[in-house]
Structures are given as structure tokens and as C-alpha cells.
Amino acid sequence: MSLHRDDPIVAIATPAGRGGIGVVRLSLGSWSGLAIAQRFIAKLCGKRDDFALEPRRGSLVAIGAADATVIDRGIALYFAAPHSYTGEDVLELQVHGGPVVLQMIVARSLELASSLVSADASANIAAMPFATMRLAQPGEFTERAFLNDKLDLAQAEAVADLIEASSEAAVLGAQASLSGAFSKAIEVLADQLIELRALVEATLDFPEEEIDFLEQSDARGRLARVREAFRALFERARQGALLREGLTVVLIGRPNVGKSSLLNALAEAEVAIVTPIAGTTRDRVEETVRLEGIALRIVDTAGIREFGALGDTVDDAADAHAVERIGIARTWDAIAKAHVVLHLVDAASIDAGIDPAFEGANREDEAIAARLPAHAARRTIVNKIDLTGDQPHIEGAPASDDDALDFRIYLSAKTGEGLDLLRRELLAIAGYQPSSETGFLARERHLAALRATQSHLDAASAHADQGDRMLELFAEDLRLAQRELSRITGEFTADDLLGEIFGKFCIGK
């Protein structure tokens, strides 16, 4: 943020709108603890100049306007530095939650700060800091908590995640991150890297000691254990990011396999047009639905097919299917951005003996599956079981989240049979846990740092495999891996990143 970080700041801390209670929060900046702060509080609360609020104890006060008329009566809570949310002197006024009342109290605070400066010559110097009192920027209270070492950066981000949580699982995950679970896991890994770095760098400082360092210190074993713990942490963070941000689920398959019907069934609304005509969907159709509070952005796409198999001449295909070709290209663009790809196939095509015409369709399905990217979780949806007599069920088990096309969910988008099986699978991919089990939330910023960490750990392992002659490169990649981990908690953080993070918070937090 570009504004001065030690200015006194004030803001309404409760959401916009009317309510029984509203809160105005003031953080008094670097001038915390000065007598002028108590004088300011006394005047704002309609008390004598020698009045002093007792920290952490509510006091009934009347907030007065400049002409001594009462704006509102409420409770004043004073938190003395450093034992406050921001680490500065903080005053919170709990009053009636009318928006005009709250705005009047904020305006009175700014007016009073200015008047204290010009009241008299003796007070002018002591009160001068209040000349800079201003409205708080979005997230500025939490940013000060970070800058004053009340929270690390991952915990500060968890404050916003807790406010924005839309499910019980997200609340518990955000609370776990806010309490320091994520930060602690990062810290443990960073400490292990520091310990290993110390051993390596001590060896580099004494090159005359001709020993096989990597063997004597079990450096390879230590690094292997760090990498194993890191993989577990990375997987939890990836699941936490999906839980926080939701899933982009892309429906793909040949024309007329029921993609639009499945979108409508999941959305419980007629979102997409459904007809027996193949190729009805020519562009992406999107709808966001929620399962257990987790956002699922469902994307219906144009059916994928090879035009050369349609029986048209090349010229006819080029003319008649130009729009469909564009739709198919956009389908692959959507697949590239997906968290989950649901590949729909016709239940009749699973057993080509039912209809030999499906032999060609099976080859097309195999070609589609072979082209799917590895980054997304992939599942096969066997649709239209209402036409084949199959019962809703699941076949197979995924070897991993990103390699599970043999994991088949049999359902009917038309009748709704088997949809609960699909919903449960999507929740599992999103990392949904019963309320008794808590993970932590993570952001894309965290995942980017973890990916960079993984790259340096992989490089360090490669250097270790080449023996002691690569110790300097080994040490450097350990250092870089530790630095990337530290970015998550904010030990290495640029000012512009702070502005980007806290600028997305609500005013008053």
C-alpha cells in the first residue's frame, strides 16, 4: 500500500447495510501509548480529559458530535499495544448498526483528530500525529497485524478466507490456517532444510577435510525425507486450494452423449438446450453450482468428433461444420484450464456387442482420452444407463487423481440415477472432509511457491546423485528451496505483493 503505514486509521468494521450492532474500529498507529491517544478517546466518548479506558474492559459511552449532541450510545473497548489485533492501540466502538450512524462516528473521529491539532499551542505538538488520521484502506488492519508480527502472511490471508468461507469445511480449513497449522508445516520443512544447509556449507568452508560428505552425513537420506514430507504437504495444499477456490469441471465427449443433460441435472435447471440432434451445443455453456458449499463451475462443451468420418466431402465439411470446428477448438481450450474433466460416453458403447455401430465411437473415445492433459483429475461418465438397463454403480478405482479414466461412474443424466455417486466423487476431488477432519486452505500464490520449491528440491537431488563435486550447486538449490517456502509465510515478501494481497480484503479488516 502506498499510504503511510504508521498513520492513525479508522473504518467501519461491520458489513454494509443495517443491523442491530455496528462496529467502528480505530488503530492509532505509531503513536500508540501516548497520552494524546487517551485524550482523543476521552473526547470522542464524551468524557473528561483525564478519563482513561481500562484495557479489555467495556465501558458505556456516548459518542458526541462537535456541538456536544449525542450521535449514539454504545460500548467502547480499548486494546492497548501490543496486545491488540494490529499490535497498536486499538479502539472499537460497538454502537447501533445503522449505516448513517456509523458514517457519522467515522466523520466525527476524523474531525476530532484535526481539531485536537489546532486546539492550542501546547497541544499542537503532542497532537500533531492525529493530523494524519485517515480512512483505512481495504485490509489495512490485518496488514498492520502482519507488519507488527501478530500474524504471518499465510495466517493473514486465512483471515480473508475465513470471512469468505461458504461451507463448513472451508471454515474449518481457514481456521486451521489462521491458527498456524499451515505455517507450522512450512516452518518444520524450512528448519529441516536449514539444518541440511548448515551441514553442507560447513563442509564447503573446510574443503581440506577429504571425506565423502554425502555418505558421512546421510545428506541424501535427509533430503529424501524432506522431499517425502514436502510431497504430503504439497498434496494437502493442492486440495486446500481446490476447497477454497472451487473446481472447474469440464464435460467432454462425442456429440449427443448427454453433456448438456448432465449440466442441467447438476444445476437442477434448464441451463443448456437439449435436443436429439447431434452437435446442438456449439459453444461453451457455464453454470456454477454448490455442493456442501463448495463452488463447482460446470462447463458444457461442443461435442468432439473427426469431420473426416462424417461421410461429407472435404469441401462440404469445411462449409457445413465451420462453426462446429470453432466450438471444438474452444472445448480443448476449456479442457486446458480444467481442474476436473468428465469424459462422457454412451452406455451402449461400453459393450459393442449391443450395437456394432459403436465400434467406431469407441475408437473416437479412445482418441479423446489419449489427448487429455495430465494436470486435471479425469473420470469417465457412462451415461444413458436408462436405455441399457444398467444400474447406477462405480467400476474401478483411480490409481491417482490425475489418472483415472478407468474409474467409471454409471448414471443417467435424464432420470437422475447415479448423480449422487458423481456428486460424492466431485466432493472427494475437491478435498471435502467430514467436519471431524480438518485440513487447511491454500491459495494459488502458495501453490506457485510450492511448485518452485519442488523444482529446487528435484535439482538438489540430481546434484546429490553426482557426488561431492556438486556440493556447491546442491547447497544453492537447498537455499533457493528454503527461500520459496519462506515466501509463503512472508519472510521474503515484496511490498507490491502486500498491496495485492491486502487490497482484496474488505474495508475495516
Side-chain angles (χ1 to χ4, degrees), residues 71-101:
I71 298 173
D72 197 9
R73 289 180 173 84
I75 302 297
L77 284 169
Y78 172 59
F79 302 90
H83 307 296
S84 70
Y85 181 70
T86 63
E88 305 166 350
D89 277 350
V90 170
L91 175 66
E92 290 191 357
L93 299 171
Q94 300 179 5
V95 294
H96 294 96
V100 176
V101 172

PDB file of all heavy atoms in Angstrom, residues 71-101:
ATOM      1  N   ILE A  71     -24.393  11.462  19.195  1.00  0.00           N
ATOM      2  CA  ILE A  71     -24.632  10.706  17.959  1.00  0.00           C
ATOM      3  C   ILE A  71     -25.236   9.348  18.295  1.00  0.00           C
ATOM      4  O   ILE A  71     -26.228   8.925  17.708  1.00  0.00           O
ATOM      5  CB  ILE A  71     -23.321  10.528  17.164  1.00  0.00           C
ATOM      6  CG1 ILE A  71     -22.761  11.888  16.743  1.00  0.00           C
ATOM      7  CG2 ILE A  71     -23.553   9.644  15.941  1.00  0.00           C
ATOM      8  CD1 ILE A  71     -21.386  11.799  16.099  1.00  0.00           C
ATOM      9  N   ASP A  72     -24.639   8.666  19.262  1.00  0.00           N
ATOM     10  CA  ASP A  72     -25.146   7.357  19.679  1.00  0.00           C
ATOM     11  C   ASP A  72     -24.472   6.967  20.982  1.00  0.00           C
ATOM     12  O   ASP A  72     -23.395   7.493  21.341  1.00  0.00           O
ATOM     13  CB  ASP A  72     -24.861   6.293  18.610  1.00  0.00           C
ATOM     14  CG  ASP A  72     -25.702   5.029  18.797  1.00  0.00           C
ATOM     15  OD1 ASP A  72     -26.619   5.054  19.653  1.00  0.00           O
ATOM     16  OD2 ASP A  72     -25.458   4.042  18.085  1.00  0.00           O
ATOM     17  N   ARG A  73     -25.099   6.061  21.699  1.00  0.00           N
ATOM     18  CA  ARG A  73     -24.518   5.476  22.902  1.00  0.00           C
ATOM     19  C   ARG A  73     -24.180   4.020  22.613  1.00  0.00           C
ATOM     20  O   ARG A  73     -24.925   3.322  21.920  1.00  0.00           O
ATOM     21  CB  ARG A  73     -25.490   5.574  24.081  1.00  0.00           C
ATOM     22  CG  ARG A  73     -25.670   6.990  24.610  1.00  0.00           C
ATOM     23  CD  ARG A  73     -26.649   7.016  25.775  1.00  0.00           C
ATOM     24  NE  ARG A  73     -26.680   8.343  26.380  1.00  0.00           N
ATOM     25  CZ  ARG A  73     -27.412   9.361  25.937  1.00  0.00           C
ATOM     26  NH1 ARG A  73     -28.191   9.185  24.863  1.00  0.00           N
ATOM     27  NH2 ARG A  73     -27.382  10.533  26.537  1.00  0.00           N
ATOM     28  N   GLY A  74     -23.055   3.575  23.173  1.00  0.00           N
ATOM     29  CA  GLY A  74     -22.647   2.205  22.931  1.00  0.00           C
ATOM     30  C   GLY A  74     -21.537   1.787  23.864  1.00  0.00           C
ATOM     31  O   GLY A  74     -21.307   2.403  24.911  1.00  0.00           O
ATOM     32  N   ILE A  75     -20.841   0.742  23.486  1.00  0.00           N
ATOM     33  CA  ILE A  75     -19.757   0.175  24.282  1.00  0.00           C
ATOM     34  C   ILE A  75     -18.420   0.496  23.624  1.00  0.00           C
ATOM     35  O   ILE A  75     -18.251   0.278  22.414  1.00  0.00           O
ATOM     36  CB  ILE A  75     -19.907  -1.350  24.423  1.00  0.00           C
ATOM     37  CG1 ILE A  75     -21.251  -1.710  25.067  1.00  0.00           C
ATOM     38  CG2 ILE A  75     -18.752  -1.937  25.229  1.00  0.00           C
ATOM     39  CD1 ILE A  75     -21.420  -1.209  26.474  1.00  0.00           C
ATOM     40  N   ALA A  76     -17.494   1.002  24.424  1.00  0.00           N
ATOM     41  CA  ALA A  76     -16.127   1.249  23.941  1.00  0.00           C
ATOM     42  C   ALA A  76     -15.199   0.195  24.526  1.00  0.00           C
ATOM     43  O   ALA A  76     -15.220  -0.072  25.728  1.00  0.00           O
ATOM     44  CB  ALA A  76     -15.666   2.641  24.348  1.00  0.00           C
ATOM     45  N   LEU A  77     -14.409  -0.412  23.657  1.00  0.00           N
ATOM     46  CA  LEU A  77     -13.394  -1.389  24.068  1.00  0.00           C
ATOM     47  C   LEU A  77     -12.031  -0.887  23.625  1.00  0.00           C
ATOM     48  O   LEU A  77     -11.824  -0.582  22.447  1.00  0.00           O
ATOM     49  CB  LEU A  77     -13.675  -2.757  23.438  1.00  0.00           C
ATOM     50  CG  LEU A  77     -14.808  -3.574  24.055  1.00  0.00           C
ATOM     51  CD1 LEU A  77     -15.143  -4.756  23.167  1.00  0.00           C
ATOM     52  CD2 LEU A  77     -14.402  -4.064  25.445  1.00  0.00           C
ATOM     53  N   TYR A  78     -11.111  -0.812  24.576  1.00  0.00           N
ATOM     54  CA  TYR A  78      -9.770  -0.301  24.292  1.00  0.00           C
ATOM     55  C   TYR A  78      -8.773  -1.438  24.470  1.00  0.00           C
ATOM     56  O   TYR A  78      -8.770  -2.141  25.483  1.00  0.00           O
ATOM     57  CB  TYR A  78      -9.457   0.853  25.247  1.00  0.00           C
ATOM     58  CG  TYR A  78      -8.036   1.347  25.184  1.00  0.00           C
ATOM     59  CD1 TYR A  78      -7.483   1.837  23.998  1.00  0.00           C
ATOM     60  CD2 TYR A  78      -7.230   1.340  26.328  1.00  0.00           C
ATOM     61  CE1 TYR A  78      -6.182   2.304  23.955  1.00  0.00           C
ATOM     62  CE2 TYR A  78      -5.924   1.808  26.287  1.00  0.00           C
ATOM     63  CZ  TYR A  78      -5.407   2.277  25.100  1.00  0.00           C
ATOM     64  OH  TYR A  78      -4.108   2.740  25.058  1.00  0.00           O
ATOM     65  N   PHE A  79      -7.941  -1.639  23.433  1.00  0.00           N
ATOM     66  CA  PHE A  79      -6.902  -2.661  23.472  1.00  0.00           C
ATOM     67  C   PHE A  79      -5.555  -1.962  23.370  1.00  0.00           C
ATOM     68  O   PHE A  79      -5.230  -1.354  22.344  1.00  0.00           O
ATOM     69  CB  PHE A  79      -7.074  -3.652  22.315  1.00  0.00           C
ATOM     70  CG  PHE A  79      -8.407  -4.338  22.300  1.00  0.00           C
ATOM     71  CD1 PHE A  79      -9.484  -3.797  21.604  1.00  0.00           C
ATOM     72  CD2 PHE A  79      -8.596  -5.519  23.002  1.00  0.00           C
ATOM     73  CE1 PHE A  79     -10.716  -4.420  21.597  1.00  0.00           C
ATOM     74  CE2 PHE A  79      -9.836  -6.156  22.998  1.00  0.00           C
ATOM     75  CZ  PHE A  79     -10.899  -5.601  22.303  1.00  0.00           C
ATOM     76  N   ALA A  80      -4.786  -2.030  24.446  1.00  0.00           N
ATOM     77  CA  ALA A  80      -3.512  -1.320  24.490  1.00  0.00           C
ATOM     78  C   ALA A  80      -2.434  -2.104  23.747  1.00  0.00           C
ATOM     79  O   ALA A  80      -2.391  -3.338  23.808  1.00  0.00           O
ATOM     80  CB  ALA A  80      -3.082  -1.093  25.935  1.00  0.00           C
ATOM     81  N   ALA A  81      -1.573  -1.383  23.034  1.00  0.00           N
ATOM     82  CA  ALA A  81      -0.455  -2.009  22.339  1.00  0.00           C
ATOM     83  C   ALA A  81       0.484  -2.650  23.360  1.00  0.00           C
ATOM     84  O   ALA A  81       0.658  -2.136  24.460  1.00  0.00           O
ATOM     85  CB  ALA A  81       0.286  -0.956  21.523  1.00  0.00           C
ATOM     86  N   PRO A  82       1.087  -3.786  23.035  1.00  0.00           N
ATOM     87  CA  PRO A  82       0.989  -4.510  21.756  1.00  0.00           C
ATOM     88  C   PRO A  82      -0.093  -5.595  21.759  1.00  0.00           C
ATOM     89  O   PRO A  82      -0.142  -6.411  20.853  1.00  0.00           O
ATOM     90  CB  PRO A  82       2.380  -5.125  21.638  1.00  0.00           C
ATOM     91  CG  PRO A  82       2.721  -5.488  23.056  1.00  0.00           C
ATOM     92  CD  PRO A  82       2.137  -4.373  23.905  1.00  0.00           C
ATOM     93  N   HIS A  83      -0.945  -5.587  22.799  1.00  0.00           N
ATOM     94  CA  HIS A  83      -1.922  -6.666  22.969  1.00  0.00           C
ATOM     95  C   HIS A  83      -3.238  -6.317  22.270  1.00  0.00           C
ATOM     96  O   HIS A  83      -4.282  -6.174  22.896  1.00  0.00           O
ATOM     97  CB  HIS A  83      -2.144  -6.935  24.455  1.00  0.00           C
ATOM     98  CG  HIS A  83      -0.881  -7.189  25.219  1.00  0.00           C
ATOM     99  ND1 HIS A  83      -0.074  -8.285  24.965  1.00  0.00           N
ATOM    100  CD2 HIS A  83      -0.258  -6.471  26.197  1.00  0.00           C
ATOM    101  CE1 HIS A  83       0.984  -8.244  25.768  1.00  0.00           C
ATOM    102  NE2 HIS A  83       0.889  -7.163  26.524  1.00  0.00           N
ATOM    103  N   SER A  84      -3.147  -6.178  20.954  1.00  0.00           N
ATOM    104  CA  SER A  84      -4.327  -5.866  20.151  1.00  0.00           C
ATOM    105  C   SER A  84      -4.203  -6.574  18.810  1.00  0.00           C
ATOM    106  O   SER A  84      -3.160  -7.154  18.493  1.00  0.00           O
ATOM    107  CB  SER A  84      -4.437  -4.354  19.931  1.00  0.00           C
ATOM    108  OG  SER A  84      -3.413  -3.901  19.072  1.00  0.00           O
ATOM    109  N   TYR A  85      -5.242  -6.475  18.012  1.00  0.00           N
ATOM    110  CA  TYR A  85      -5.233  -7.153  16.709  1.00  0.00           C
ATOM    111  C   TYR A  85      -4.106  -6.646  15.824  1.00  0.00           C
ATOM    112  O   TYR A  85      -3.401  -7.435  15.171  1.00  0.00           O
ATOM    113  CB  TYR A  85      -6.586  -6.952  16.023  1.00  0.00           C
ATOM    114  CG  TYR A  85      -6.692  -7.636  14.678  1.00  0.00           C
ATOM    115  CD1 TYR A  85      -6.749  -9.025  14.587  1.00  0.00           C
ATOM    116  CD2 TYR A  85      -6.733  -6.902  13.497  1.00  0.00           C
ATOM    117  CE1 TYR A  85      -6.842  -9.669  13.368  1.00  0.00           C
ATOM    118  CE2 TYR A  85      -6.827  -7.536  12.266  1.00  0.00           C
ATOM    119  CZ  TYR A  85      -6.882  -8.916  12.204  1.00  0.00           C
ATOM    120  OH  TYR A  85      -6.964  -9.542  10.986  1.00  0.00           O
ATOM    121  N   THR A  86      -3.909  -5.328  15.786  1.00  0.00           N
ATOM    122  CA  THR A  86      -2.885  -4.743  14.914  1.00  0.00           C
ATOM    123  C   THR A  86      -1.526  -4.617  15.585  1.00  0.00           C
ATOM    124  O   THR A  86      -0.532  -4.344  14.916  1.00  0.00           O
ATOM    125  CB  THR A  86      -3.307  -3.352  14.436  1.00  0.00           C
ATOM    126  OG1 THR A  86      -3.419  -2.481  15.570  1.00  0.00           O
ATOM    127  CG2 THR A  86      -4.632  -3.391  13.703  1.00  0.00           C
ATOM    128  N   GLY A  87      -1.479  -4.780  16.924  1.00  0.00           N
ATOM    129  CA  GLY A  87      -0.240  -4.528  17.652  1.00  0.00           C
ATOM    130  C   GLY A  87      -0.092  -3.070  18.048  1.00  0.00           C
ATOM    131  O   GLY A  87       0.894  -2.706  18.701  1.00  0.00           O
ATOM    132  N   GLU A  88      -1.055  -2.230  17.695  1.00  0.00           N
ATOM    133  CA  GLU A  88      -1.087  -0.818  18.076  1.00  0.00           C
ATOM    134  C   GLU A  88      -2.225  -0.604  19.064  1.00  0.00           C
ATOM    135  O   GLU A  88      -3.016  -1.510  19.317  1.00  0.00           O
ATOM    136  CB  GLU A  88      -1.305   0.053  16.833  1.00  0.00           C
ATOM    137  CG  GLU A  88      -0.287  -0.179  15.738  1.00  0.00           C
ATOM    138  CD  GLU A  88      -0.699   0.438  14.403  1.00  0.00           C
ATOM    139  OE1 GLU A  88      -1.861   0.886  14.275  1.00  0.00           O
ATOM    140  OE2 GLU A  88       0.138   0.454  13.490  1.00  0.00           O
ATOM    141  N   ASP A  89      -2.329   0.598  19.636  1.00  0.00           N
ATOM    142  CA  ASP A  89      -3.518   0.926  20.419  1.00  0.00           C
ATOM    143  C   ASP A  89      -4.734   0.871  19.504  1.00  0.00           C
ATOM    144  O   ASP A  89      -4.741   1.494  18.429  1.00  0.00           O
ATOM    145  CB  ASP A  89      -3.394   2.339  21.012  1.00  0.00           C
ATOM    146  CG  ASP A  89      -2.583   2.362  22.297  1.00  0.00           C
ATOM    147  OD1 ASP A  89      -2.283   1.276  22.815  1.00  0.00           O
ATOM    148  OD2 ASP A  89      -2.256   3.455  22.780  1.00  0.00           O
ATOM    149  N   VAL A  90      -5.736   0.121  19.909  1.00  0.00           N
ATOM    150  CA  VAL A  90      -6.944  -0.052  19.095  1.00  0.00           C
ATOM    151  C   VAL A  90      -8.170   0.296  19.934  1.00  0.00           C
ATOM    152  O   VAL A  90      -8.282  -0.128  21.094  1.00  0.00           O
ATOM    153  CB  VAL A  90      -7.060  -1.493  18.562  1.00  0.00           C
ATOM    154  CG1 VAL A  90      -8.422  -1.732  17.922  1.00  0.00           C
ATOM    155  CG2 VAL A  90      -5.950  -1.776  17.556  1.00  0.00           C
ATOM    156  N   LEU A  91      -9.073   1.063  19.347  1.00  0.00           N
ATOM    157  CA  LEU A  91     -10.348   1.381  19.970  1.00  0.00           C
ATOM    158  C   LEU A  91     -11.457   0.826  19.086  1.00  0.00           C
ATOM    159  O   LEU A  91     -11.478   1.078  17.878  1.00  0.00           O
ATOM    160  CB  LEU A  91     -10.515   2.895  20.136  1.00  0.00           C
ATOM    161  CG  LEU A  91     -11.869   3.369  20.679  1.00  0.00           C
ATOM    162  CD1 LEU A  91     -12.067   2.897  22.115  1.00  0.00           C
ATOM    163  CD2 LEU A  91     -12.001   4.880  20.580  1.00  0.00           C
ATOM    164  N   GLU A  92     -12.386   0.073  19.687  1.00  0.00           N
ATOM    165  CA  GLU A  92     -13.547  -0.414  18.959  1.00  0.00           C
ATOM    166  C   GLU A  92     -14.806   0.109  19.629  1.00  0.00           C
ATOM    167  O   GLU A  92     -14.989  -0.039  20.841  1.00  0.00           O
ATOM    168  CB  GLU A  92     -13.559  -1.945  18.909  1.00  0.00           C
ATOM    169  CG  GLU A  92     -12.457  -2.512  18.024  1.00  0.00           C
ATOM    170  CD  GLU A  92     -12.609  -3.995  17.758  1.00  0.00           C
ATOM    171  OE1 GLU A  92     -13.554  -4.604  18.325  1.00  0.00           O
ATOM    172  OE2 GLU A  92     -11.786  -4.548  16.999  1.00  0.00           O
ATOM    173  N   LEU A  93     -15.650   0.738  18.838  1.00  0.00           N
ATOM    174  CA  LEU A  93     -16.908   1.299  19.327  1.00  0.00           C
ATOM    175  C   LEU A  93     -18.054   0.436  18.814  1.00  0.00           C
ATOM    176  O   LEU A  93     -18.266   0.323  17.599  1.00  0.00           O
ATOM    177  CB  LEU A  93     -17.067   2.735  18.841  1.00  0.00           C
ATOM    178  CG  LEU A  93     -15.975   3.716  19.304  1.00  0.00           C
ATOM    179  CD1 LEU A  93     -16.119   5.044  18.581  1.00  0.00           C
ATOM    180  CD2 LEU A  93     -16.025   3.905  20.811  1.00  0.00           C
ATOM    181  N   GLN A  94     -18.765  -0.199  19.718  1.00  0.00           N
ATOM    182  CA  GLN A  94     -19.909  -1.033  19.372  1.00  0.00           C
ATOM    183  C   GLN A  94     -21.173  -0.205  19.580  1.00  0.00           C
ATOM    184  O   GLN A  94     -21.541   0.129  20.709  1.00  0.00           O
ATOM    185  CB  GLN A  94     -19.937  -2.292  20.231  1.00  0.00           C
ATOM    186  CG  GLN A  94     -18.707  -3.168  20.075  1.00  0.00           C
ATOM    187  CD  GLN A  94     -18.746  -4.403  20.948  1.00  0.00           C
ATOM    188  OE1 GLN A  94     -19.742  -4.678  21.619  1.00  0.00           O
ATOM    189  NE2 GLN A  94     -17.652  -5.150  20.950  1.00  0.00           N
ATOM    190  N   VAL A  95     -21.813   0.149  18.484  1.00  0.00           N
ATOM    191  CA  VAL A  95     -22.971   1.034  18.524  1.00  0.00           C
ATOM    192  C   VAL A  95     -24.101   0.404  17.706  1.00  0.00           C
ATOM    193  O   VAL A  95     -23.994  -0.733  17.248  1.00  0.00           O
ATOM    194  CB  VAL A  95     -22.601   2.429  17.966  1.00  0.00           C
ATOM    195  CG1 VAL A  95     -21.593   3.119  18.873  1.00  0.00           C
ATOM    196  CG2 VAL A  95     -22.039   2.313  16.550  1.00  0.00           C
ATOM    197  N   HIS A  96     -25.187   1.159  17.518  1.00  0.00           N
ATOM    198  CA  HIS A  96     -26.277   0.654  16.688  1.00  0.00           C
ATOM    199  C   HIS A  96     -25.821   0.589  15.229  1.00  0.00           C
ATOM    200  O   HIS A  96     -25.047   1.429  14.769  1.00  0.00           O
ATOM    201  CB  HIS A  96     -27.510   1.537  16.850  1.00  0.00           C
ATOM    202  CG  HIS A  96     -28.085   1.471  18.239  1.00  0.00           C
ATOM    203  ND1 HIS A  96     -27.776   2.390  19.213  1.00  0.00           N
ATOM    204  CD2 HIS A  96     -28.913   0.553  18.816  1.00  0.00           C
ATOM    205  CE1 HIS A  96     -28.406   2.070  20.338  1.00  0.00           C
ATOM    206  NE2 HIS A  96     -29.099   0.954  20.127  1.00  0.00           N
ATOM    207  N   GLY A  97     -26.341  -0.422  14.516  1.00  0.00           N
ATOM    208  CA  GLY A  97     -25.795  -0.746  13.202  1.00  0.00           C
ATOM    209  C   GLY A  97     -26.420  -0.030  12.027  1.00  0.00           C
ATOM    210  O   GLY A  97     -26.462  -0.599  10.931  1.00  0.00           O
ATOM    211  N   GLY A  98     -26.899   1.196  12.214  1.00  0.00           N
ATOM    212  CA  GLY A  98     -27.395   1.960  11.077  1.00  0.00           C
ATOM    213  C   GLY A  98     -26.249   2.561  10.286  1.00  0.00           C
ATOM    214  O   GLY A  98     -25.304   3.099  10.867  1.00  0.00           O
ATOM    215  N   PRO A  99     -26.276   2.479   8.968  1.00  0.00           N
ATOM    216  CA  PRO A  99     -25.148   2.984   8.176  1.00  0.00           C
ATOM    217  C   PRO A  99     -24.874   4.467   8.383  1.00  0.00           C
ATOM    218  O   PRO A  99     -23.720   4.884   8.402  1.00  0.00           O
ATOM    219  CB  PRO A  99     -25.557   2.671   6.727  1.00  0.00           C
ATOM    220  CG  PRO A  99     -27.023   2.410   6.761  1.00  0.00           C
ATOM    221  CD  PRO A  99     -27.327   1.884   8.110  1.00  0.00           C
ATOM    222  N   VAL A 100     -25.905   5.289   8.563  1.00  0.00           N
ATOM    223  CA  VAL A 100     -25.690   6.727   8.760  1.00  0.00           C
ATOM    224  C   VAL A 100     -25.029   6.977  10.106  1.00  0.00           C
ATOM    225  O   VAL A 100     -24.115   7.801  10.220  1.00  0.00           O
ATOM    226  CB  VAL A 100     -27.023   7.488   8.645  1.00  0.00           C
ATOM    227  CG1 VAL A 100     -26.805   8.979   8.946  1.00  0.00           C
ATOM    228  CG2 VAL A 100     -27.619   7.322   7.257  1.00  0.00           C
ATOM    229  N   VAL A 101     -25.486   6.252  11.146  1.00  0.00           N
ATOM    230  CA  VAL A 101     -24.869   6.389  12.469  1.00  0.00           C
ATOM    231  C   VAL A 101     -23.376   6.083  12.397  1.00  0.00           C
ATOM    232  O   VAL A 101     -22.530   6.839  12.907  1.00  0.00           O
ATOM    233  CB  VAL A 101     -25.553   5.443  13.485  1.00  0.00           C
ATOM    234  CG1 VAL A 101     -24.789   5.425  14.808  1.00  0.00           C
ATOM    235  CG2 VAL A 101     -26.992   5.867  13.719  1.00  0.00           C
TER     236      VAL A 101
END
